[in-house]
Structures are given as C-alpha cells and as structure tokens.
Amino acid sequence: MADTILILGNGFDIAMGRKTKYEEFIEFTNDLSSRKKYIVNFRKFIKPYKKIKLSNYKDNLYLKFINENKDNLGENWSNLEIMISNLADAIMYFKENSNDLFNHNVNESDKDYLRRLKNKLRRTNNAIAKIFVVEKFYEFNSTKNWNLLQRDDALEKLNTEFINQLDLLIELLEIYLSYIDFLDFKVNKIKPSPTALDAVNGLSRSYVLNFNYTNTLGRLFHSFKERTHFIHGQINLGRPIGQINTMVFGIEDKEVNVNSDLIPYQKYYQRVVKETGNKFEEFFIKRNYTVKNTSVVGRAVPTRVPVSKNIVIFGHSVDSLDKEIFQKSFALAEEGGYPYRFIFTYFDEPAKRSIIKNLAIILGKEKLIELTGKQNVVFVKSDDKDGMKEVLLP
C-alpha cells in the first residue's frame, strides 16, 4: 500500500465545520467589548489564563486598517496576510521616500500639507495602505513626541510600532483559535465531516505537513503527532511564561537580498526565530520498500521495490506565500526514486483555476504541463470520494 503525505491548509479545518476563517476571527475581535453570548462565554474561558490581558489587543493597527477601509479593499479585505504585506510595503515606501512625509524642513505637518500628500498618494499603487500609514505616523508624531526625533529615527519607530502590533495580532489569533478548539472539542464535540479524504486508507497513519496552527486532523482522525510537522507553529495558550509563541504569521520574502526592515514581517525569518524547522522534508526523503514477484526467465523472483507516495493537498490555495515549501516538496519527490503523485483537491472551479495559476507561478508553466502530462499532478474535487479513489496510487 502506498504511503500518504497530507498537506493541509485552512480549507481542511473549514471543511470540518470549524470557524477558522480570517473574517470570523476579525468579527470576533470586533465583538470583544460586546455582551454577545459567545463573547460572555469567551470571557469565562479566558479567565484562568491570568497572563492574558485583553486590553493589550485593543485598537490593533492591522485590524483598525481593515475595519476603517473594508469597503475599499475589495474581495481580499479579510486576507490578513495580504493586508500585512500592503502595510509593510507602505512603510518601506516611506523609508525610501522619507521627504514625502515632511513639509520641507519642518518635522511637523499642517493639515493643508497632509491633505495635499493624501491626494498625491491616491494616484499611486497601494494608496489605501500608504494613506493609513501617513495618518498613523502623524498621530504618533504628536502623541508620542516623534517630532522631536531625527527623521530616520522617527521612521524606525514607526516600523517598530507595526512590528509590535503584528506580534500582538498573532497572540490574539492564538487566543481566538484556542477558544474555537475549546468550543469544538470540549463543548460541541464535533465529528469528522465527509470529504474526498475518506478514500485514503490508513488516514491516521499519514505523514502530515500542516500549515494550520490547529491539530484538527489529530483531534478528529487520531493522526500521530510524531508524523506531523506544524510548519507555521501551533497554538499553545497554556505554555509556560517565557516560552516562545511558535506561530508564524507574515508575508512572502519577495527580495533576493535581505532587507533588515522587512524581515520581521517575513515568514522565513519567523520560521528561523521560532524554530519551526524543516521536519517535513523527512517525509519525502524517507523511502519504504515492499516485495513484489518479478518474472525472470520464466520464474517468479521476489524483488524489493520502493513504495509509492500519494501527496494529497487539501484546503490549501497553494499561494505564493508558501512557494518555497511547495518547490522543496516537488524537488524532493522528484529526487526520491519512488513513484509519486501530487493530488490537489479544490472546492469549486474558480478555486481549481486559482490553484493551477499558482502552480504555474511556483513551478513554471512548462514544468506544470510536464507533470500533469505524466499524471504526477492531478486534481480532485474536495468532496469527491470516488474521484479520489481513482487517482490514488496503489
């Protein structure tokens, strides 16, 4: 029987009926000061965690940016990673064009100059994020006395403020997901929902590359933790004081050279600092064998042959944010010396088109055509159990 490597994204948790979408998290953060029943229950859940002070998470800059500009941000308004990227890019723009922020030789800005600057920025790319950063800069310039600093120092303070706010956003996301874990597994005791994965024999014995912070597969299908790599870390609200939060939540590394201003936002840097490692590579390198009878001069001779690997991607958009991991996975499978097949599941046709587009960016168009032609890459609807059975390597 073939080995199975599962690559899981948030779509897996959603398919299991879990409220792990970014918009659900954002709704939760907006309701934190309300008396809604689920918030009242949340406050009871969080009370034993004495180290957590919810006041620390009030007016988070990233959430404020989304809430203030939701109507103008388009369909990606709730994609926190895109919003983080836009704001980081806006900060870098002003670090490279610092004169735009200042009225000639004066560190303070009058309302008329600010209005003209905003009008100028509206005609540029990423205008909404740039205008938000400008507004926050001048707010902090006044409230935190940054106007007394050298310009470069004030801009460094701005960057540090957004980095600190990102850390707080990650902490708040961990709190939310921990509460969802409590509701789903302790209160509601949810059961697995049917998906195409039901066709995979021995699902609990699979090797798992998990992009999620939650262990939904382990909770519902009793997969083995030692066979699971939480590549972006895992929620652990009860960890001892001083132990690092391992959750990786940031943006793509777009540059060849290291940008010291940007690296705290970037996933690769966070993976290094939080030591999430590359354990998943072992899943592709590890080669198991079986014995098959081969006909040699009319006689059946037992022969040791490598076991096939089915690499099933479920609930992941294959976004370029994670391109390095997918590129490494494809390279290791190709070098592995065993028959392999990447099986990408998709929710609907637009999702399938998006996955194909992202694969073309990650692998190159010609390589993708080659792999689909050889059936090393195939696509199955996420609820099609029979379709999954047909494409699984034996």
Side-chain angles (χ1 to χ4, degrees):
M1 186 173 70
D3 289 337
T4 302
I5 299 174
L6 293 180
I7 300 179
L8 300 179
N10 192 38
F12 174 72
D13 280 21
I14 294 168
M16 293 298 114
R18 310 200 65 201
K19 291 190 172 184
T20 56
K21 294 179 181 178
Y22 283 146
E23 56 252 50
E24 290 164 332
F25 166 60
I26 293 168
E27 180 184 359
F28 164 81
T29 64
N30 290 338
D31 285 343
L32 267 179
S33 58
S34 77
R35 297 293 299 170
K36 291 183 178 180
K37 184 178 178 181
Y38 85 105
I39 294 297
V40 173
N41 290 336
F42 163 72
R43 290 185 179 279
K44 292 177 184 175
F45 160 77
I46 208 70
K47 197 172 182 180
Y49 297 95
K50 304 295 185 185
K51 64 179 180 178
I52 294 174
K53 301 210 176 335
L54 293 177
S55 57
N56 291 342
Y57 310 105
K58 189 179 179 183
D59 297 326
N60 182 272
L61 289 177
Y62 296 93
L63 296 171
K64 203 173 184 67
F65 171 64
I66 290 171
N67 289 323
E68 289 180 2
N69 298 284
K70 181 177 174 181
D71 293 339
N72 300 316
L73 290 170
E75 62 182 16
N76 287 320
W77 70 268
S78 64
N79 189 322
L80 283 170
E81 289 164 330
I82 291 176
M83 298 303 108
I84 293 166
S85 181
N86 289 349
L87 288 168
D89 286 347
I91 293 166
M92 290 309 105
Y93 170 84
F94 289 114
K95 292 202 83 169
E96 294 166 2
N97 301 275
S98 60
N99 288 337
D100 284 3
L101 278 174
F102 302 98
N103 187 2
H104 301 297
N105 294 322
V106 182
N107 275 15
E108 297 181 10
S109 170
D110 58 53
K111 290 182 179 179
D112 186 54
Y113 179 76
L114 196 53
R115 179 183 57 78
R116 293 199 310 271
L117 175 57
K118 287 182 182 179
N119 286 336
K120 173 187 172 183
L121 293 172
R122 284 190 183 97
R123 298 189 293 271
T124 66
N125 292 330
N126 199 23
I128 297 172
K130 288 177 184 173
I131 290 170
F132 180 81
V133 168
V134 164
E135 291 172 343
K136 291 298 131 190
F137 179 75
Y138 281 106
E139 177 187 323
F140 296 145
N141 223 28
S142 172
T143 60
K144 297 177 184 286
N145 296 322
W146 289 358
N147 57 313
L148 303 177
L149 301 173
Q150 294 290 324
R151 292 183 178 185
D152 287 348
D153 292 339
L155 284 166
E156 192 56 47
K157 287 277 190 184
L158 178 70
N159 192 36
T160 300
E161 188 74 32
F162 274 86
I163 291 168
N164 291 339
Q165 289 287 304
L166 178 58
D167 289 338
L168 289 170
L169 182 66
I170 294 171
E171 289 177 14
L172 189 54
L173 180 59
E174 179 180 38
I175 291 168
Y176 172 72
L177 291 175
S178 299
Y179 180 49
I180 294 300
D181 261 15
F182 170 74
L183 289 179
D184 287 345
F185 302 122
K186 296 284 181 65
V187 178
N188 299 322
K189 294 181 169 48
I190 64 170
K191 302 296 182 185
S193 299
T195 68
L197 291 178
D198 295 338
V200 179
N201 288 323
L203 189 66
S204 65
R205 298 192 301 275
S206 300
Y207 296 92
V208 185
L209 168 52
N210 195 347
F211 282 90
N212 301 328
Y213 309 114
T214 53
N215 188 21
T216 304
L217 188 79
R219 295 275 201 149
L220 294 180
F221 295 91
H222 311 292
S223 58
F224 297 100
K225 197 160 186 179
E226 58 270 21
R227 291 190 174 199
T228 302
H229 183 195
F230 294 93
I231 188 101
H232 287 161
Q234 187 180 8
I235 56 173
N236 182 15
L237 207 57
R239 66 182 172 276
I241 293 174
Q243 191 177 99
I244 193 169
N245 179 331
T246 62
M247 290 170 64
V248 172
F249 189 55
I251 65 175
E252 176 189 3
D253 179 14
K254 300 176 184 176
E255 301 180 5
V256 175
N257 298 321
V258 174
N259 184 328
S260 60
D261 293 316
L262 273 179
I263 57 174
Y265 300 98
Q266 292 171 341
K267 284 187 172 181
Y268 93 89
Y269 171 81
Q270 293 181 27
R271 284 182 62 204
V272 171
V273 170
K274 299 182 179 187
E275 301 177 355
T276 60
N278 60 352
K279 177 181 174 180
F280 77 96
E281 295 182 15
E282 298 171 13
F283 306 159
F284 290 89
I285 294 169
K286 183 179 174 64
R287 192 185 306 174
N288 292 321
Y289 291 88
T290 188
V291 175
K292 290 185 178 179
N293 287 328
T294 305
S295 178
V296 178
V297 197
R299 288 191 315 142
V301 178
T303 307
R304 193 166 171 259
V305 296
V307 170
S308 306
K309 286 190 191 292
N310 289 305
I311 303 126
V312 183
I313 299 87
F314 194 104
H316 198 296
S317 64
V318 201
D319 190 89
S320 59
L321 280 166
D322 298 314
K323 69 179 180 183
E324 290 90 354
I325 297 165
F326 279 103
Q327 287 170 340
K328 189 68 175 179
S329 297
F330 273 98
L332 289 172
E334 201 160 24
E335 297 163 4
Y338 46 75
Y340 71 91
R341 178 169 289 165
F342 283 83
I343 304 168
F344 288 87
T345 66
Y346 60 92
F347 178 71
D348 55 20
E349 285 302 316
K352 180 181 180 181
R353 288 195 293 271
S354 179
I355 290 171
I356 291 172
K357 180 196 75 174
N358 291 337
L359 283 172
I361 293 169
I362 290 169
L363 300 172
K365 295 175 185 176
E366 292 303 316
K367 186 64 176 178
L368 180 57
I369 291 169
E370 174 195 328
L371 291 173
T372 52
K374 292 178 178 178
Q375 295 286 288
N376 290 126
V377 169
V378 298
F379 303 90
V380 174
K381 203 162 183 298
S382 57
D383 61 357
D384 187 358
K385 179 179 175 181
D386 291 334
M388 178 68 78
K389 280 182 180 176
E390 289 178 12
V391 299
L392 287 168
L393 293 174

